[in-house]
Amino acid sequence: MLCDLCPRTAVLVRPPSTDPLFSAAGWGIHRQPLEPGVGALLISQGKVHLELRLSEVITDTGVVCHKLATRILECQGLPIVNGQCDPYATVTLAGPYRSEAKKTKVKKRTDNPQFDEVFYFEVTRPCSYSRKSHFDFEEEDVDKLEIRVDLWNASNLKFGDEFLGELRVPLNVLRQSSCYEAWYFLQPRDNGSKSLKPGDLGSLRLNVVYTEDHVFSSDYYSSLRDLLLRSADVEPVSASAAHVLGEVCREKQEAAVPLVRFFLHYGRVVPFISAIANAEVQRTQDPNTIFRGNSLTSKCIDETMKLAGMHYLHVTLKPTIEEICQSHKSCEIDPVKLKDGENLENNMENLRQYVDRIFHVITKSGVSCPTVMCDIFFSLREAAAKRFQDDLDVRYTAVSGFIFLRFFAPAILSPNLFQLTPHHTDPQTSRTLTLISKTIQTLGSLSKSKSASFKESYMAAFYEFFNEQKYADAVKNFLDLISSSGRRDPKSIEQPILLKEGFMIKRAQGRKRFGMKNFKKRWFRLTNHEFTYQKSKGDQPLCSIPIENILAVEGLEEESFKMKNMFQVIQPERALYIQANNCVEAKAWIDILTKVSQCNKKRLTVYHPSAYLNGHWLCCRASSDTAPGCSPCTGGLPANIQLDIDGDRETERIYSLFNSYMSKLEKMQEACGSRSVYDGPEQEEYSTFIIDDPQETYKTLKQVIAGVGALEQEHAQYKRDKFKKTKYGSQEHPIGDKSFQSYIRQQSETSTHSI
């Protein structure tokens, strides 16, 4: 939530990133069933504006009694439950001997409802009232009463409405004044004394993380931001600010999440990951263990794939996963677990078909892989090939460990964690997905002894179905495509990777003679470096188009040459017109040519869907052959997904991490000083840090500590100014605001200490 204040303020609640029970938008909501139709909210969201007024009322007989007017004005920031929020409130006057409840109208499709409803409660009975059982207390017992407001989401589901949170206000707040008005944060449900016996419903262990980030405007972060953005260029990269954060954090994941989001926002995630990956490869001694640990590099790549690759994952796997979940075919191949009436051979065939289908959609999905992932995989491939030049497979295993082991296999195993299914799968489907995931993981590993990698004999026997060269070739072709780069690097050792080849018909380029079309059959060959054609396979190229010269790849309208299945490869001077054998081949060539050229800086945004013939473009009739295109380019691929990332918020998170690990930063400084003057055996207390260059690392640490200290002073000053200007219970600081309470407590402790 960003408030219209200066400096800008944001409160971010970040749950553990791997927990599937957390809702979108970063708010964690867990419900523990208490009884049918009731749920206890463990974390609440939103605030309520409440007004109370106690009035003396004179009855017709002249007797005085007290009535309470409770006004629900509005709510803000209520949670969205299952994609909707139809809130209403119940208002209850509760005490030791009574409970009287009333209800507001339901407000449809809003998380900021404007109720503005008033409810009246009779608080004290008239002195002449004879039915004492109805109000079984005296006037002095008013302090024992309270107003409880419960917020609910109206639901059509069978288990009832969703509880959103509550607030409780004792009526003694009206002792000083007959009118009281304040904002309140919603709180989790208070179950009171109605506690369940241990073991009645079992136990559940939760890890809930609540984080508040107060985000300033951009200029406050310039020093720390610039220091972080230079990380990829620091030599060695272990001396950079971003790498230092990974060293001091307790868990690498803790540092990877804000770092990846930060670098994605500023377009520097590929250089940064390339730098830390190269450094890790240089420290690796065995090619079989490359990127196998939970290092900063591995965690950053995992986080990047999760953010940038979710759409790719859905496009690739979701249709097949949904079919598996709906069909419920038995795929158990463990003879011990077979149910009565099941046939092992039938189950094995069912499973084989599923594995084949998923393997096929994965290995044919290379053109849809996001560009940022391809660029990272290219850097991994290059670093591994340079480091282990005698191992020809390492350029594949460096990439397959991420795309198969850490991306596709987990999504198949637990599709609900990746929003491929709305709920946990049933036990039988879960078992099927487990067997598929294990097989796909092994197929993608390219290990030399695959059958031996299975602990279970039945899995080793099943894998014999896939122990064919065509599967290994498909994996290598897929890895070649997603780890190839169209941007030629003079320092690259990458050899041209063949991506696709075959016969097609092309129209001669640059012919001047009137009416000469000159369509000829040629052998086309595409690598990640160039697109060529020759008379026959193996001949010298007649034409070579560098990948960086491809400005667009689009279909060509049939009216141009009265020929179907044509497309055009547009270059700076002219377009090459090509006819494929059929529509499937045409699409395959367009997709893969678009994929390898989509990063070119001069790609067109508009093109001519028809050819230039007889002195004009057939589509728009423009006479100049250099006239700008008349139709927008299709692009063709969802390769880059725009991410909604606030760079300042991520910088604030990084500052918060540095600040919380300040003692480790200082200890790392000591380690740098120790290594600078002493070159003997490493002291045990400093051995946890990677310090390749003590002097450069010390310089970075000094800048980090100075930048963090400056921001800490700004936060302290902001809190002082902010809390002085507003009161507790205002819209800015609703009752229940923990940060305000903490500030008041700190001020109280400071005052006591001074005295």
Side-chain angles (χ1 to χ4, degrees):
M1 295 180 294
L2 297 181
C3 306
D4 296 329
L5 301 174
C6 186
R8 185 171 43 166
T9 302
V11 178
L12 172 66
V13 179
R14 188 188 305 284
S17 59
T18 57
D19 193 334
L21 296 178
F22 283 93
S23 66
W27 291 91
I29 301 178
H30 288 260
R31 287 177 177 80
Q32 175 189 9
L34 296 178
E35 56 187 69
V38 180
L41 194 67
L42 302 183
I43 298 179
S44 296
Q45 171 189 341
K47 51 189 177 182
V48 182
H49 194 187
L50 181 69
E51 182 180 306
L52 302 178
R53 187 181 299 274
L54 189 62
S55 305
E56 288 186 346
V57 179
I58 301 177
T59 65
D60 294 340
T61 59
V63 178
V64 177
C65 65
H66 290 86
K67 284 196 174 183
L68 175 69
T70 303
R71 183 183 181 193
I72 306 292
L73 288 95
E74 61 178 311
C75 299
Q76 289 185 358
L78 297 180
I80 306 295
V81 181
N82 297 325
Q84 68 164 17
C85 188
D86 297 333
Y88 69 90
T90 58
V91 182
T92 306
L93 178 66
Y97 306 106
R98 67 180 291 191
S99 179
E100 184 180 355
K102 301 182 180 183
K103 175 185 171 182
T104 68
K105 295 178 181 177
V106 176
K107 299 294 182 179
K108 293 288 187 179
R109 293 184 293 278
T110 177
D111 57 347
N112 298 307
Q114 301 285 326
F115 290 113
D116 199 14
E117 294 189 40
V118 182
F119 301 100
Y120 295 94
F121 299 93
E122 208 166 297
V123 176
T124 58
R125 61 182 172 83
C127 297
S128 61
Y129 202 82
S130 59
R131 294 172 59 190
K132 189 174 181 180
S133 61
H134 187 67
F135 294 115
D136 198 12
F137 56 88
E138 301 298 331
E139 186 172 348
E140 58 268 19
D141 293 327
V142 170
D143 287 351
K144 297 179 181 178
L145 294 173
E146 68 176 9
I147 282 289
R148 189 178 79 237
V149 179
D150 296 304
L151 265 295
W152 299 83
N153 177 57
S155 172
N156 294 323
L157 300 178
K158 62 182 180 180
F159 47 77
D161 295 344
E162 303 265 359
F163 177 73
L164 303 180
E166 71 172 14
L167 62 93
R168 293 170 179 256
V169 185
L171 290 197
N172 60 18
V173 298
L174 295 168
R175 279 295 183 188
Q176 302 299 323
S177 172
S178 61
C179 183
Y180 175 81
E181 175 263 334
W183 283 83
Y184 282 83
F185 271 130
L186 283 172
Q187 302 296 325
R189 168 172 283 153
D190 182 3
N191 292 318
S193 60
K194 298 179 181 179
S195 58
L196 296 169
K197 295 179 181 179
D200 279 357
L201 294 175
S203 61
L204 180 66
R205 185 179 181 184
L206 296 178
N207 178 25
V208 180
V209 178
Y210 176 87
T211 306
E212 276 191 6
D213 292 331
H214 298 276
V215 182
F216 292 110
S217 54
S218 295
D219 54 323
Y220 283 79
Y221 299 105
S222 58
S223 176
L224 183 58
R225 180 175 59 244
D226 294 344
L227 187 62
L228 289 164
L229 289 175
R230 290 198 299 269
S231 293
D233 303 318
V234 174
E235 290 288 348
V237 71
S238 60
S240 67
H243 197 279
V244 164
L245 181 64
E247 290 299 294
V248 298
C249 282
R250 184 175 61 254
E251 300 289 342
K252 301 297 183 185
Q253 180 74 13
E254 195 176 12
V257 171
L259 283 176
V260 166
R261 295 177 66 85
F262 172 85
F263 285 118
L264 275 171
H265 176 76
Y266 290 106
R268 296 285 294 166
V269 73
V270 174
F272 171 66
I273 290 181
S274 298
I276 60 176
N278 188 63
E280 181 174 333
V281 169
Q282 295 305 313
R283 290 191 291 268
T284 304
Q285 301 303 316
D286 184 353
N288 294 316
T289 62
I290 193 167
F291 300 126
R292 286 294 183 258
N294 288 322
S295 62
L296 181 64
T297 304
S298 298
K299 292 299 183 182
C300 284
I301 296 175
D302 287 348
E303 189 65 21
T304 304
M305 292 193 299
K306 185 171 68 177
L307 289 171
M310 192 61 74
H311 181 269
Y312 169 46
L313 200 61
H314 281 227
V315 168
T316 306
L317 291 183
K318 192 168 185 178
T320 309
I321 295 293
E322 286 180 342
E323 182 180 331
I324 293 171
C325 293
Q326 292 168 5
S327 64
H328 292 288
K329 290 183 180 179
S330 179
C331 296
E332 183 55 70
I333 59 173
D334 183 355
V336 178
K337 295 183 179 180
L338 281 179
K339 297 178 181 177
D340 292 340
E342 288 186 346
N343 183 281
L344 180 59
E345 291 183 359
N346 290 342
N347 288 4
M348 200 168 282
E349 178 60 21
N350 291 338
L351 184 60
R352 187 193 65 78
Q353 290 180 6
Y354 281 150
V355 171
D356 253 336
R357 286 191 57 184
I358 287 188
F359 179 80
H360 179 77
V361 296
I362 289 175
T363 53
K364 295 299 181 182
S365 69
V367 293
S368 300
C369 186
T371 303
V372 66
M373 288 172 59
C374 292
D375 288 345
I376 289 172
F377 294 152
F378 172 72
S379 66
L380 301 183
R381 177 192 185 104
E382 286 284 284
K386 286 179 181 178
R387 177 72 174 87
F388 303 104
Q389 297 185 19
D390 295 333
D391 191 327
L392 299 180
D393 285 335
V394 73
R395 63 185 63 202
Y396 294 113
T397 55
V399 177
S400 66
F402 285 103
I403 195 69
F404 282 101
L405 181 65
R406 295 173 178 261
F407 189 65
F408 283 121
I412 297 168
L413 182 65
S414 304
N416 61 297
L417 297 185
F418 297 84
Q419 291 83 54
L420 295 172
T421 57
H423 308 291
H424 289 278
T425 54
D426 60 85
Q428 179 180 314
T429 304
S430 180
R431 174 63 175 166
T432 299
L433 293 175
T434 299
L435 296 172
I436 295 172
S437 178
K438 293 173 73 171
T439 311
I440 291 294
Q441 180 179 320
T442 306
L443 277 167
S445 68
L446 292 172
S447 60
K448 296 179 177 61
S449 179
K450 295 181 180 180
S451 296
S453 64
F454 291 110
K455 297 178 182 178
E456 309 91 343
S457 58
Y458 61 85
M459 283 300 300
F462 173 70
Y463 191 78
E464 291 302 317
F465 283 115
F466 308 96
N467 199 12
E468 299 179 32
Q469 188 60 37
K470 67 176 183 179
Y471 290 101
D473 291 342
V475 169
K476 287 187 176 182
N477 290 337
F478 169 67
L479 296 175
D480 280 337
L481 180 55
I482 65 171
S483 63
S484 63
S485 174
R487 295 189 285 265
R488 298 292 296 275
D489 181 357
K491 299 179 182 179
S492 171
I493 68 165
E494 180 193 31
Q495 296 300 313
I497 300 169
L498 179 62
L499 301 176
K500 190 172 176 60
E501 60 181 348
F503 276 115
M504 291 188 291
I505 296 172
K506 65 92 186 177
R507 181 179 185 269
Q509 302 180 81
R511 291 288 184 180
K512 300 297 183 182
R513 292 177 60 184
F514 179 80
M516 192 165 191
K517 298 181 175 60
N518 200 9
F519 286 94
K520 293 187 177 180
K521 190 175 184 179
R522 293 288 183 256
W523 181 262
F524 285 84
R525 193 170 188 270
L526 174 65
T527 72
N528 60 319
H529 290 176
E530 60 186 357
F531 182 48
T532 64
Y533 63 79
Q534 51 255 32
K535 283 187 176 181
S536 300
K537 184 176 182 180
D539 292 347
Q540 288 298 314
L542 298 174
C543 175
S544 175
I545 304 173
I547 294 298
E548 55 265 31
N549 284 357
I550 298 178
L551 305 184
V553 184
E554 298 287 347
L556 187 69
E557 291 182 352
E558 186 178 337
E559 68 171 19
S560 298
F561 301 108
K562 308 301 179 186
M563 298 170 65
K564 296 181 178 180
N565 308 320
M566 291 200 70
F567 64 94
Q568 52 185 317
V569 179
I570 304 173
Q571 308 165 69
E573 294 82 17
R574 64 178 71 89
L576 173 61
Y577 300 129
I578 304 171
Q579 183 189 35
N581 298 323
N582 51 61
C583 62
V584 176
E585 271 294 292
K587 184 180 186 307
W589 276 103
I590 292 172
D591 284 349
I592 198 166
L593 282 163
T594 301
K595 174 65 182 175
V596 297
S597 63
Q598 65 183 349
C599 296
N600 292 347
K601 295 180 180 179
K602 296 182 180 180
R603 278 188 64 86
L604 298 178
T605 56
V606 292
Y607 79 107
H608 292 283
S610 293
Y612 183 80
L613 293 174
N614 302 324
H616 65 270
W617 293 98
L618 298 181
C619 45
C620 61
R621 300 294 172 179
S623 58
S624 172
D625 61 351
T626 59
C630 56
S631 297
C633 290
T634 60
L637 299 168
N640 289 306
I641 308 300
Q642 295 297 319
L643 300 171
D644 184 17
I645 297 175
D646 186 333
D648 295 333
R649 176 176 288 182
E650 301 310 321
T651 312
E652 171 65 26
R653 286 297 304 124
I654 293 170
Y655 147 75
S656 298
L657 285 173
F658 273 132
N659 195 38
S660 63
Y661 289 106
M662 185 58 69
S663 61
K664 277 197 172 184
L665 288 172
E666 293 169 348
K667 193 172 183 178
M668 199 171 179
Q669 265 192 324
E670 294 176 9
C672 290
S674 174
R675 293 188 189 182
S676 296
V677 299
Y678 175 66
D679 198 26
E682 191 172 35
Q683 297 182 41
E684 185 176 347
E685 59 179 320
Y686 300 145
S687 62
T688 56
F689 301 122
I690 295 177
I691 302 175
D692 297 317
D693 187 330
Q695 292 183 343
E696 190 68 26
T697 306
Y698 186 91
K699 184 168 68 175
T700 298
L701 284 163
K702 186 176 179 181
Q703 293 174 305
V704 168
I705 292 172
V708 170
L711 278 170
E712 176 65 13
Q713 291 181 5
E714 294 291 348
H715 274 285
Q717 182 62 45
Y718 173 60
K719 286 182 180 179
R720 287 193 293 270
D721 295 342
K722 175 184 175 184
F723 292 135
K724 282 179 182 177
K725 294 176 182 177
T726 55
K727 68 175 184 176
Y728 196 42
S730 64
Q731 182 176 358
E732 292 80 10
H733 297 296
I735 294 173
D737 186 345
K738 300 295 190 296
S739 60
F740 193 96
Q741 292 173 331
S742 175
Y743 173 77
I744 297 298
R745 186 168 57 253
Q746 290 174 3
Q747 294 298 105
S748 175
E749 291 172 356
T750 303
S751 301
T752 304
H753 180 71
S754 300
I755 293 173

